[in-house]
Amino acid sequence: MSAPVTDASPPVRRLALLGAGVMGETVLSGLIRAGWEPGSVVATDRRPERAAELEAAYGITMTSNVEAVRGAETVLLVVKPQDMSGLLADIAPALAPSTLVVSMAAGVDTETLEGGLPSGQPVVRVMPNTPAQVDEGMAAISAGSSATTDHLDRVRDILSATGRVAVVPERYLDAVTAISGSGPAYLFFVVEAMIEAGVHLGLPRDVSTELVVQTMLGSAKLLRESGEHPAILRERVTSPGGTTAAALRELEDHKVRAAFLTAMEAARDRSQALAASARQQRTGA
C-alpha cells in the first residue's frame, strides 16, 4: 500500500498589519521588497479610499481589525497611542493564544499592552524611526513578560526589511525614543538651519540644499564605515586657527552641545509621560 500523500511545503506566514498609515505602509512595502508574498499580509485602515489604494499598490487584502487578526501568526499594531486601548479591546477576543502582538505605538509600554490582552499573550514593543521609509531605519525592540527569544527573532526578521534592529531592555526605550525615534527631526532641523545659512551667505537655495544634504549623507557614511569615534573625525576636519575651528567655537559659545542634551531629556520625559497616561487610560485611574 502506498504511503499517504502529504504537503511538505512550509506553512505560509500570515501577518496582520493594523493601521496602514505612513509607518504601516513603510513596513508593508519593505516586506514586499524583501520577498514576502502579498497573500501572507492582511492590513486595515479606517478610510475606504486608503484601503483601495493599498490593495491596488501591493496586492494585499484589506479587511477589518477583527477579521485581520483571526489566524494571524503576528499582529503588528501601528496606531496612535490614544487609539491603542480601544483597538486592544476590539481584537483581544479574536486572538489565538500563540499570536504575537507587536506594537509600534510610542509611549505604550508592554505592561499596558498585556493589560489589554488575554493573559499570557506574547507582546513585543518597537520604537522605529522614519528613515525606515528608505530602508535605513533604526528600530529598537523589547520583549514583554511572555515573549521569547523566538518572538524577538521574528520581529527582527520583519523589521530588518526596512533597516537595522537592536534588542534592548524595555527600561531603555524612553531614551531610545529620545535618541533614534525623535532623532531624524533633530537632524532635519540642523540641515534646515545649514541650508538657510548657505542662502544667507549668498548661495542659491538649490545649491545650498545639495551641498548640505550630500555633506550630511557622506558624513554619516564615513562615520559608519570608518568605525572611528566622531570626535576623531571632527578633529581631522578642524585645522588649528582655521575656518572649522572658528565655527565650532561659536557653536560651543552658544552651548549647542548642552542644548542637544536638554532637548533629548525633554523627549525622554515626554515619552515617560505618554506611558503613564496610557497606563492610566487602561486602569481608569
PDB file of all heavy atoms in Angstrom, residues 4-39:
ATOM      1  N   PRO A   4       0.583   7.651   2.354  1.00  0.00           N
ATOM      2  CA  PRO A   4      -0.324   8.779   2.106  1.00  0.00           C
ATOM      3  C   PRO A   4       0.446   9.998   1.625  1.00  0.00           C
ATOM      4  O   PRO A   4       1.589  10.229   2.020  1.00  0.00           O
ATOM      5  CB  PRO A   4      -0.956   9.025   3.481  1.00  0.00           C
ATOM      6  CG  PRO A   4       0.007   8.458   4.458  1.00  0.00           C
ATOM      7  CD  PRO A   4       0.621   7.280   3.784  1.00  0.00           C
ATOM      8  N   VAL A   5      -0.178  10.738   0.747  1.00  0.00           N
ATOM      9  CA  VAL A   5       0.441  11.952   0.221  1.00  0.00           C
ATOM     10  C   VAL A   5       0.317  13.058   1.253  1.00  0.00           C
ATOM     11  O   VAL A   5      -0.759  13.310   1.796  1.00  0.00           O
ATOM     12  CB  VAL A   5      -0.246  12.379  -1.095  1.00  0.00           C
ATOM     13  CG1 VAL A   5       0.353  13.690  -1.586  1.00  0.00           C
ATOM     14  CG2 VAL A   5      -0.098  11.288  -2.134  1.00  0.00           C
ATOM     15  N   THR A   6       1.422  13.716   1.541  1.00  0.00           N
ATOM     16  CA  THR A   6       1.428  14.840   2.496  1.00  0.00           C
ATOM     17  C   THR A   6       1.980  16.075   1.821  1.00  0.00           C
ATOM     18  O   THR A   6       2.774  15.989   0.887  1.00  0.00           O
ATOM     19  CB  THR A   6       2.283  14.510   3.733  1.00  0.00           C
ATOM     20  OG1 THR A   6       3.630  14.264   3.322  1.00  0.00           O
ATOM     21  CG2 THR A   6       1.738  13.291   4.467  1.00  0.00           C
ATOM     22  N   ASP A   7       1.564  17.219   2.323  1.00  0.00           N
ATOM     23  CA  ASP A   7       2.055  18.505   1.811  1.00  0.00           C
ATOM     24  C   ASP A   7       3.264  18.905   2.629  1.00  0.00           C
ATOM     25  O   ASP A   7       3.151  19.250   3.803  1.00  0.00           O
ATOM     26  CB  ASP A   7       0.952  19.562   1.935  1.00  0.00           C
ATOM     27  CG  ASP A   7       1.369  20.902   1.334  1.00  0.00           C
ATOM     28  OD1 ASP A   7       2.513  20.990   0.863  1.00  0.00           O
ATOM     29  OD2 ASP A   7       0.552  21.838   1.360  1.00  0.00           O
ATOM     30  N   ALA A   8       4.439  18.801   2.033  1.00  0.00           N
ATOM     31  CA  ALA A   8       5.682  19.088   2.750  1.00  0.00           C
ATOM     32  C   ALA A   8       6.052  20.560   2.727  1.00  0.00           C
ATOM     33  O   ALA A   8       7.059  20.964   3.281  1.00  0.00           O
ATOM     34  CB  ALA A   8       6.823  18.262   2.159  1.00  0.00           C
ATOM     35  N   SER A   9       5.270  21.382   2.050  1.00  0.00           N
ATOM     36  CA  SER A   9       5.607  22.804   1.955  1.00  0.00           C
ATOM     37  C   SER A   9       5.419  23.475   3.306  1.00  0.00           C
ATOM     38  O   SER A   9       4.538  23.101   4.078  1.00  0.00           O
ATOM     39  CB  SER A   9       4.730  23.497   0.915  1.00  0.00           C
ATOM     40  OG  SER A   9       3.384  23.412   1.290  1.00  0.00           O
ATOM     41  N   PRO A  10       6.286  24.488   3.636  1.00  0.00           N
ATOM     42  CA  PRO A  10       6.176  25.145   4.933  1.00  0.00           C
ATOM     43  C   PRO A  10       4.899  25.956   5.011  1.00  0.00           C
ATOM     44  O   PRO A  10       4.346  26.375   3.988  1.00  0.00           O
ATOM     45  CB  PRO A  10       7.417  26.067   4.950  1.00  0.00           C
ATOM     46  CG  PRO A  10       7.733  26.314   3.509  1.00  0.00           C
ATOM     47  CD  PRO A  10       7.344  25.057   2.793  1.00  0.00           C
ATOM     48  N   PRO A  11       4.384  26.180   6.230  1.00  0.00           N
ATOM     49  CA  PRO A  11       3.181  26.981   6.365  1.00  0.00           C
ATOM     50  C   PRO A  11       3.425  28.421   5.933  1.00  0.00           C
ATOM     51  O   PRO A  11       4.525  28.955   6.077  1.00  0.00           O
ATOM     52  CB  PRO A  11       2.877  26.904   7.870  1.00  0.00           C
ATOM     53  CG  PRO A  11       4.195  26.568   8.503  1.00  0.00           C
ATOM     54  CD  PRO A  11       4.917  25.722   7.521  1.00  0.00           C
ATOM     55  N   VAL A  12       2.407  29.039   5.383  1.00  0.00           N
ATOM     56  CA  VAL A  12       2.520  30.421   4.928  1.00  0.00           C
ATOM     57  C   VAL A  12       2.516  31.360   6.137  1.00  0.00           C
ATOM     58  O   VAL A  12       1.681  31.223   7.029  1.00  0.00           O
ATOM     59  CB  VAL A  12       1.346  30.766   3.983  1.00  0.00           C
ATOM     60  CG1 VAL A  12       1.396  32.243   3.597  1.00  0.00           C
ATOM     61  CG2 VAL A  12       1.391  29.891   2.751  1.00  0.00           C
ATOM     62  N   ARG A  13       3.472  32.260   6.179  1.00  0.00           N
ATOM     63  CA  ARG A  13       3.466  33.270   7.236  1.00  0.00           C
ATOM     64  C   ARG A  13       2.247  34.164   7.030  1.00  0.00           C
ATOM     65  O   ARG A  13       1.926  34.551   5.917  1.00  0.00           O
ATOM     66  CB  ARG A  13       4.743  34.118   7.163  1.00  0.00           C
ATOM     67  CG  ARG A  13       6.020  33.352   7.387  1.00  0.00           C
ATOM     68  CD  ARG A  13       7.231  34.213   7.129  1.00  0.00           C
ATOM     69  NE  ARG A  13       7.369  34.570   5.723  1.00  0.00           N
ATOM     70  CZ  ARG A  13       8.396  35.255   5.216  1.00  0.00           C
ATOM     71  NH1 ARG A  13       9.363  35.662   6.015  1.00  0.00           N
ATOM     72  NH2 ARG A  13       8.459  35.541   3.940  1.00  0.00           N
ATOM     73  N   ARG A  14       1.591  34.518   8.112  1.00  0.00           N
ATOM     74  CA  ARG A  14       0.460  35.432   7.985  1.00  0.00           C
ATOM     75  C   ARG A  14       0.630  36.561   8.976  1.00  0.00           C
ATOM     76  O   ARG A  14       0.683  36.341  10.185  1.00  0.00           O
ATOM     77  CB  ARG A  14      -0.870  34.707   8.212  1.00  0.00           C
ATOM     78  CG  ARG A  14      -2.065  35.627   7.923  1.00  0.00           C
ATOM     79  CD  ARG A  14      -3.317  34.811   7.618  1.00  0.00           C
ATOM     80  NE  ARG A  14      -4.405  35.699   7.204  1.00  0.00           N
ATOM     81  CZ  ARG A  14      -5.343  36.150   8.046  1.00  0.00           C
ATOM     82  NH1 ARG A  14      -5.328  35.803   9.314  1.00  0.00           N
ATOM     83  NH2 ARG A  14      -6.310  36.950   7.611  1.00  0.00           N
ATOM     84  N   LEU A  15       0.740  37.757   8.455  1.00  0.00           N
ATOM     85  CA  LEU A  15       0.930  38.937   9.272  1.00  0.00           C
ATOM     86  C   LEU A  15      -0.249  39.869   9.079  1.00  0.00           C
ATOM     87  O   LEU A  15      -0.642  40.160   7.942  1.00  0.00           O
ATOM     88  CB  LEU A  15       2.237  39.644   8.907  1.00  0.00           C
ATOM     89  CG  LEU A  15       2.593  40.889   9.720  1.00  0.00           C
ATOM     90  CD1 LEU A  15       4.097  40.935   9.982  1.00  0.00           C
ATOM     91  CD2 LEU A  15       2.162  42.177   9.016  1.00  0.00           C
ATOM     92  N   ALA A  16      -0.795  40.339  10.183  1.00  0.00           N
ATOM     93  CA  ALA A  16      -1.871  41.337  10.143  1.00  0.00           C
ATOM     94  C   ALA A  16      -1.299  42.672  10.566  1.00  0.00           C
ATOM     95  O   ALA A  16      -0.706  42.793  11.648  1.00  0.00           O
ATOM     96  CB  ALA A  16      -3.004  40.927  11.082  1.00  0.00           C
ATOM     97  N   LEU A  17      -1.451  43.659   9.716  1.00  0.00           N
ATOM     98  CA  LEU A  17      -0.916  44.988   9.965  1.00  0.00           C
ATOM     99  C   LEU A  17      -2.100  45.928  10.208  1.00  0.00           C
ATOM    100  O   LEU A  17      -2.840  46.248   9.278  1.00  0.00           O
ATOM    101  CB  LEU A  17      -0.077  45.435   8.770  1.00  0.00           C
ATOM    102  CG  LEU A  17       0.866  46.603   8.958  1.00  0.00           C
ATOM    103  CD1 LEU A  17       1.994  46.549   7.935  1.00  0.00           C
ATOM    104  CD2 LEU A  17       0.130  47.937   8.831  1.00  0.00           C
ATOM    105  N   LEU A  18      -2.280  46.325  11.452  1.00  0.00           N
ATOM    106  CA  LEU A  18      -3.426  47.152  11.820  1.00  0.00           C
ATOM    107  C   LEU A  18      -3.006  48.617  11.898  1.00  0.00           C
ATOM    108  O   LEU A  18      -2.308  49.034  12.817  1.00  0.00           O
ATOM    109  CB  LEU A  18      -4.005  46.709  13.169  1.00  0.00           C
ATOM    110  CG  LEU A  18      -4.281  45.207  13.338  1.00  0.00           C
ATOM    111  CD1 LEU A  18      -5.034  44.960  14.632  1.00  0.00           C
ATOM    112  CD2 LEU A  18      -5.036  44.634  12.149  1.00  0.00           C
ATOM    113  N   GLY A  19      -3.423  49.378  10.883  1.00  0.00           N
ATOM    114  CA  GLY A  19      -3.065  50.786  10.819  1.00  0.00           C
ATOM    115  C   GLY A  19      -2.059  51.034   9.711  1.00  0.00           C
ATOM    116  O   GLY A  19      -0.851  51.076   9.959  1.00  0.00           O
ATOM    117  N   ALA A  20      -2.535  51.182   8.491  1.00  0.00           N
ATOM    118  CA  ALA A  20      -1.648  51.309   7.331  1.00  0.00           C
ATOM    119  C   ALA A  20      -1.432  52.767   6.959  1.00  0.00           C
ATOM    120  O   ALA A  20      -1.646  53.181   5.821  1.00  0.00           O
ATOM    121  CB  ALA A  20      -2.209  50.528   6.147  1.00  0.00           C
ATOM    122  N   GLY A  21      -0.997  53.559   7.949  1.00  0.00           N
ATOM    123  CA  GLY A  21      -0.606  54.935   7.681  1.00  0.00           C
ATOM    124  C   GLY A  21       0.803  54.970   7.111  1.00  0.00           C
ATOM    125  O   GLY A  21       1.256  54.011   6.472  1.00  0.00           O
ATOM    126  N   VAL A  22       1.526  56.050   7.376  1.00  0.00           N
ATOM    127  CA  VAL A  22       2.867  56.203   6.799  1.00  0.00           C
ATOM    128  C   VAL A  22       3.794  55.098   7.282  1.00  0.00           C
ATOM    129  O   VAL A  22       4.446  54.410   6.489  1.00  0.00           O
ATOM    130  CB  VAL A  22       3.452  57.586   7.149  1.00  0.00           C
ATOM    131  CG1 VAL A  22       4.909  57.677   6.693  1.00  0.00           C
ATOM    132  CG2 VAL A  22       2.633  58.696   6.492  1.00  0.00           C
ATOM    133  N   MET A  23       3.891  54.890   8.613  1.00  0.00           N
ATOM    134  CA  MET A  23       4.797  53.860   9.114  1.00  0.00           C
ATOM    135  C   MET A  23       4.295  52.470   8.767  1.00  0.00           C
ATOM    136  O   MET A  23       5.081  51.573   8.455  1.00  0.00           O
ATOM    137  CB  MET A  23       4.970  53.999  10.627  1.00  0.00           C
ATOM    138  CG  MET A  23       6.015  53.050  11.220  1.00  0.00           C
ATOM    139  SD  MET A  23       7.658  53.152  10.443  1.00  0.00           S
ATOM    140  CE  MET A  23       8.202  54.759  11.037  1.00  0.00           C
ATOM    141  N   GLY A  24       2.977  52.260   8.811  1.00  0.00           N
ATOM    142  CA  GLY A  24       2.434  50.965   8.432  1.00  0.00           C
ATOM    143  C   GLY A  24       2.758  50.619   6.994  1.00  0.00           C
ATOM    144  O   GLY A  24       3.172  49.488   6.694  1.00  0.00           O
ATOM    145  N   GLU A  25       2.577  51.576   6.090  1.00  0.00           N
ATOM    146  CA  GLU A  25       2.912  51.316   4.690  1.00  0.00           C
ATOM    147  C   GLU A  25       4.410  51.133   4.503  1.00  0.00           C
ATOM    148  O   GLU A  25       4.852  50.362   3.637  1.00  0.00           O
ATOM    149  CB  GLU A  25       2.410  52.447   3.792  1.00  0.00           C
ATOM    150  CG  GLU A  25       2.634  52.143   2.322  1.00  0.00           C
ATOM    151  CD  GLU A  25       2.131  53.225   1.372  1.00  0.00           C
ATOM    152  OE1 GLU A  25       1.667  54.283   1.860  1.00  0.00           O
ATOM    153  OE2 GLU A  25       2.216  53.019   0.142  1.00  0.00           O
ATOM    154  N   THR A  26       5.211  51.826   5.308  1.00  0.00           N
ATOM    155  CA  THR A  26       6.664  51.664   5.236  1.00  0.00           C
ATOM    156  C   THR A  26       7.055  50.219   5.503  1.00  0.00           C
ATOM    157  O   THR A  26       7.854  49.620   4.775  1.00  0.00           O
ATOM    158  CB  THR A  26       7.348  52.590   6.246  1.00  0.00           C
ATOM    159  OG1 THR A  26       7.116  53.953   5.876  1.00  0.00           O
ATOM    160  CG2 THR A  26       8.844  52.335   6.302  1.00  0.00           C
ATOM    161  N   VAL A  27       6.492  49.630   6.563  1.00  0.00           N
ATOM    162  CA  VAL A  27       6.773  48.227   6.879  1.00  0.00           C
ATOM    163  C   VAL A  27       6.235  47.318   5.775  1.00  0.00           C
ATOM    164  O   VAL A  27       6.924  46.394   5.321  1.00  0.00           O
ATOM    165  CB  VAL A  27       6.160  47.842   8.229  1.00  0.00           C
ATOM    166  CG1 VAL A  27       6.355  46.348   8.499  1.00  0.00           C
ATOM    167  CG2 VAL A  27       6.782  48.663   9.357  1.00  0.00           C
ATOM    168  N   LEU A  28       5.028  47.583   5.325  1.00  0.00           N
ATOM    169  CA  LEU A  28       4.409  46.777   4.281  1.00  0.00           C
ATOM    170  C   LEU A  28       5.252  46.763   3.016  1.00  0.00           C
ATOM    171  O   LEU A  28       5.555  45.697   2.456  1.00  0.00           O
ATOM    172  CB  LEU A  28       3.010  47.312   3.983  1.00  0.00           C
ATOM    173  CG  LEU A  28       2.283  46.739   2.765  1.00  0.00           C
ATOM    174  CD1 LEU A  28       2.095  45.240   2.912  1.00  0.00           C
ATOM    175  CD2 LEU A  28       0.946  47.451   2.569  1.00  0.00           C
ATOM    176  N   SER A  29       5.648  47.923   2.538  1.00  0.00           N
ATOM    177  CA  SER A  29       6.424  47.986   1.292  1.00  0.00           C
ATOM    178  C   SER A  29       7.780  47.321   1.466  1.00  0.00           C
ATOM    179  O   SER A  29       8.277  46.659   0.542  1.00  0.00           O
ATOM    180  CB  SER A  29       6.591  49.446   0.847  1.00  0.00           C
ATOM    181  OG  SER A  29       7.313  50.197   1.805  1.00  0.00           O
ATOM    182  N   GLY A  30       8.379  47.464   2.666  1.00  0.00           N
ATOM    183  CA  GLY A  30       9.656  46.802   2.919  1.00  0.00           C
ATOM    184  C   GLY A  30       9.536  45.290   2.871  1.00  0.00           C
ATOM    185  O   GLY A  30      10.404  44.598   2.326  1.00  0.00           O
ATOM    186  N   LEU A  31       8.460  44.757   3.427  1.00  0.00           N
ATOM    187  CA  LEU A  31       8.249  43.313   3.412  1.00  0.00           C
ATOM    188  C   LEU A  31       8.061  42.788   1.987  1.00  0.00           C
ATOM    189  O   LEU A  31       8.614  41.741   1.622  1.00  0.00           O
ATOM    190  CB  LEU A  31       7.027  42.952   4.257  1.00  0.00           C
ATOM    191  CG  LEU A  31       7.172  43.140   5.770  1.00  0.00           C
ATOM    192  CD1 LEU A  31       5.837  42.888   6.463  1.00  0.00           C
ATOM    193  CD2 LEU A  31       8.246  42.221   6.327  1.00  0.00           C
ATOM    194  N   ILE A  32       7.291  43.512   1.197  1.00  0.00           N
ATOM    195  CA  ILE A  32       7.071  43.090  -0.194  1.00  0.00           C
ATOM    196  C   ILE A  32       8.387  43.106  -0.961  1.00  0.00           C
ATOM    197  O   ILE A  32       8.708  42.177  -1.716  1.00  0.00           O
ATOM    198  CB  ILE A  32       6.016  43.981  -0.882  1.00  0.00           C
ATOM    199  CG1 ILE A  32       4.664  43.880  -0.165  1.00  0.00           C
ATOM    200  CG2 ILE A  32       5.886  43.606  -2.353  1.00  0.00           C
ATOM    201  CD1 ILE A  32       4.075  42.488  -0.099  1.00  0.00           C
ATOM    202  N   ARG A  33       9.200  44.158  -0.759  1.00  0.00           N
ATOM    203  CA  ARG A  33      10.503  44.221  -1.425  1.00  0.00           C
ATOM    204  C   ARG A  33      11.421  43.098  -0.950  1.00  0.00           C
ATOM    205  O   ARG A  33      12.275  42.620  -1.700  1.00  0.00           O
ATOM    206  CB  ARG A  33      11.175  45.576  -1.179  1.00  0.00           C
ATOM    207  CG  ARG A  33      10.542  46.729  -1.921  1.00  0.00           C
ATOM    208  CD  ARG A  33      11.456  47.957  -1.901  1.00  0.00           C
ATOM    209  NE  ARG A  33      11.755  48.388  -0.537  1.00  0.00           N
ATOM    210  CZ  ARG A  33      10.976  49.186   0.193  1.00  0.00           C
ATOM    211  NH1 ARG A  33       9.833  49.624  -0.323  1.00  0.00           N
ATOM    212  NH2 ARG A  33      11.317  49.545   1.407  1.00  0.00           N
ATOM    213  N   ALA A  34      11.253  42.692   0.318  1.00  0.00           N
ATOM    214  CA  ALA A  34      12.103  41.642   0.886  1.00  0.00           C
ATOM    215  C   ALA A  34      11.663  40.248   0.469  1.00  0.00           C
ATOM    216  O   ALA A  34      12.307  39.261   0.844  1.00  0.00           O
ATOM    217  CB  ALA A  34      12.118  41.755   2.406  1.00  0.00           C
ATOM    218  N   GLY A  35      10.563  40.136  -0.285  1.00  0.00           N
ATOM    219  CA  GLY A  35      10.159  38.848  -0.811  1.00  0.00           C
ATOM    220  C   GLY A  35       8.955  38.220  -0.156  1.00  0.00           C
ATOM    221  O   GLY A  35       8.588  37.083  -0.489  1.00  0.00           O
ATOM    222  N   TRP A  36       8.301  38.923   0.768  1.00  0.00           N
ATOM    223  CA  TRP A  36       7.068  38.381   1.343  1.00  0.00           C
ATOM    224  C   TRP A  36       5.985  38.347   0.264  1.00  0.00           C
ATOM    225  O   TRP A  36       5.849  39.278  -0.532  1.00  0.00           O
ATOM    226  CB  TRP A  36       6.613  39.249   2.507  1.00  0.00           C
ATOM    227  CG  TRP A  36       7.334  39.013   3.791  1.00  0.00           C
ATOM    228  CD1 TRP A  36       8.691  39.069   3.991  1.00  0.00           C
ATOM    229  CD2 TRP A  36       6.754  38.703   5.064  1.00  0.00           C
ATOM    230  NE1 TRP A  36       8.982  38.810   5.301  1.00  0.00           N
ATOM    231  CE2 TRP A  36       7.820  38.578   5.988  1.00  0.00           C
ATOM    232  CE3 TRP A  36       5.451  38.518   5.503  1.00  0.00           C
ATOM    233  CZ2 TRP A  36       7.610  38.277   7.325  1.00  0.00           C
ATOM    234  CZ3 TRP A  36       5.243  38.222   6.840  1.00  0.00           C
ATOM    235  CH2 TRP A  36       6.308  38.088   7.743  1.00  0.00           C
ATOM    236  N   GLU A  37       5.218  37.276   0.264  1.00  0.00           N
ATOM    237  CA  GLU A  37       4.109  37.165  -0.669  1.00  0.00           C
ATOM    238  C   GLU A  37       2.965  38.081  -0.225  1.00  0.00           C
ATOM    239  O   GLU A  37       2.616  38.109   0.965  1.00  0.00           O
ATOM    240  CB  GLU A  37       3.606  35.729  -0.728  1.00  0.00           C
ATOM    241  CG  GLU A  37       4.576  34.754  -1.381  1.00  0.00           C
ATOM    242  CD  GLU A  37       4.776  35.063  -2.852  1.00  0.00           C
ATOM    243  OE1 GLU A  37       3.821  35.575  -3.491  1.00  0.00           O
ATOM    244  OE2 GLU A  37       5.876  34.801  -3.367  1.00  0.00           O
ATOM    245  N   PRO A  38       2.366  38.844  -1.141  1.00  0.00           N
ATOM    246  CA  PRO A  38       1.231  39.701  -0.765  1.00  0.00           C
ATOM    247  C   PRO A  38       0.108  38.933  -0.077  1.00  0.00           C
ATOM    248  O   PRO A  38      -0.561  39.468   0.805  1.00  0.00           O
ATOM    249  CB  PRO A  38       0.781  40.278  -2.109  1.00  0.00           C
ATOM    250  CG  PRO A  38       2.012  40.265  -2.958  1.00  0.00           C
ATOM    251  CD  PRO A  38       2.762  39.038  -2.546  1.00  0.00           C
ATOM    252  N   GLY A  39      -0.061  37.663  -0.452  1.00  0.00           N
ATOM    253  CA  GLY A  39      -1.115  36.869   0.153  1.00  0.00           C
ATOM    254  C   GLY A  39      -0.878  36.524   1.607  1.00  0.00           C
ATOM    255  O   GLY A  39      -1.789  36.043   2.291  1.00  0.00           O
TER     256      GLY A  39
END
